[in-house]
Amino acid sequence: RDIKPDNLLLAEDPAAAGDSPLELKVVDFGIAKQSGPESQAMTVSGTMLGTPAYMAPEQIVGSPAPSPATDVFAVGAVVYELITGLRAYPSTRLQDTVRAKLRGEIPELETLEIEGGARLLAMIRTCLQRQPAARPSLDQVRATLDRCLRQAAGERLTDALALPTLGLTRAGPLPAPAATELSGVPAGAM
């Protein structure tokens, strides 16, 4: 659960046809948790694992357990950074970042001068909510990003574009491979 820009990779998909020759991969599952009867604790209790700028409040305090909502928080922080060029929680001091997240502070978001900008900013705001239950589901985030990407590209919103998921659409362990693919993202979308 270390979704951050450094762990996102755009790679050529030689099997892709049409307008989607690139796929987005989430890499570096160094802190991913295995589950199952044979799994062993890979971390030390009481330590904070992850990148503080992208960590959800529940990751910081250790409760409740990480869930897909934890990933939604990180996706919100990453999307904020992708569209603004700034970190959602820009402090270089760890204690300031932690304090802001635990207080539920959400970065001020300006209007985006693109089609669907208001919808995208509203999604980011809900992704960065302090309480996991207040955040949208990964499916809702996916649908909003799909709609915003299509709208920004000037496409009609009547056809269905299969924007892929992060591979994290349900509770449970992360996929076994060291990378989760996001195929089908239009080349100019990221």
Side-chain angles (χ1 to χ4, degrees):
R1 297 193 182 274
D2 196 18
I3 295 174
K4 61 183 180 179
D6 290 348
N7 289 350
L8 300 177
L9 174 71
L10 275 178
E12 261 190 74
D13 181 6
D19 297 332
S20 302
L22 297 176
E23 60 187 1
L24 184 62
K25 295 185 179 208
V26 180
V27 297
D28 187 355
F29 287 106
I31 64 169
K33 179 181 178 183
Q34 287 186 325
S35 66
E38 340 45 70
S39 69
Q40 298 177 355
M42 307 279 283
T43 62
V44 177
S45 181
T47 39
M48 189 168 62
L49 290 177
T51 305
Y54 306 97
M55 289 173 68
E58 63 270 19
Q59 277 182 289
I60 294 169
V61 298
S63 177
S67 69
T70 306
D71 299 323
V72 166
F73 188 95
V75 168
V78 168
V79 171
Y80 179 92
E81 188 168 335
L82 287 172
I83 62 171
T84 66
L86 304 169
R87 283 190 171 176
Y89 298 92
S91 179
T92 57
R93 294 172 21 130
L94 176 63
Q95 61 269 32
D96 293 340
T97 300
V98 168
R99 186 179 308 113
K101 289 182 178 190
L102 295 181
R103 288 181 177 165
E105 295 173 14
I106 296 175
E108 190 171 316
L109 301 170
E110 300 296 324
T111 301
L112 281 180
E113 298 300 324
I114 60 169
E115 287 292 325
R119 181 179 293 110
L120 185 59
L121 292 178
M123 183 209 71
I124 292 168
R125 281 186 195 97
T126 58
C127 287
L128 297 178
Q129 292 295 311
R130 182 176 183 271
Q131 296 299 324
R135 297 179 204 140
S137 70
L138 284 164
D139 284 339
Q140 291 169 320
V141 171
R142 177 178 171 247
T144 300
L145 288 173
D146 174 21
R147 185 174 178 92
C148 290
L149 286 171
R150 291 173 40 225
Q151 197 169 3
E155 293 184 26
R156 292 182 306 140
L157 298 177
T158 56
D159 60 333
L161 174 66
L163 184 67
T165 67
L166 290 173
L168 306 170
T169 58
R170 59 183 159 71
L174 292 172
T180 301
E181 296 181 6
L182 283 171
S183 59
V185 175
M190 296 286 180

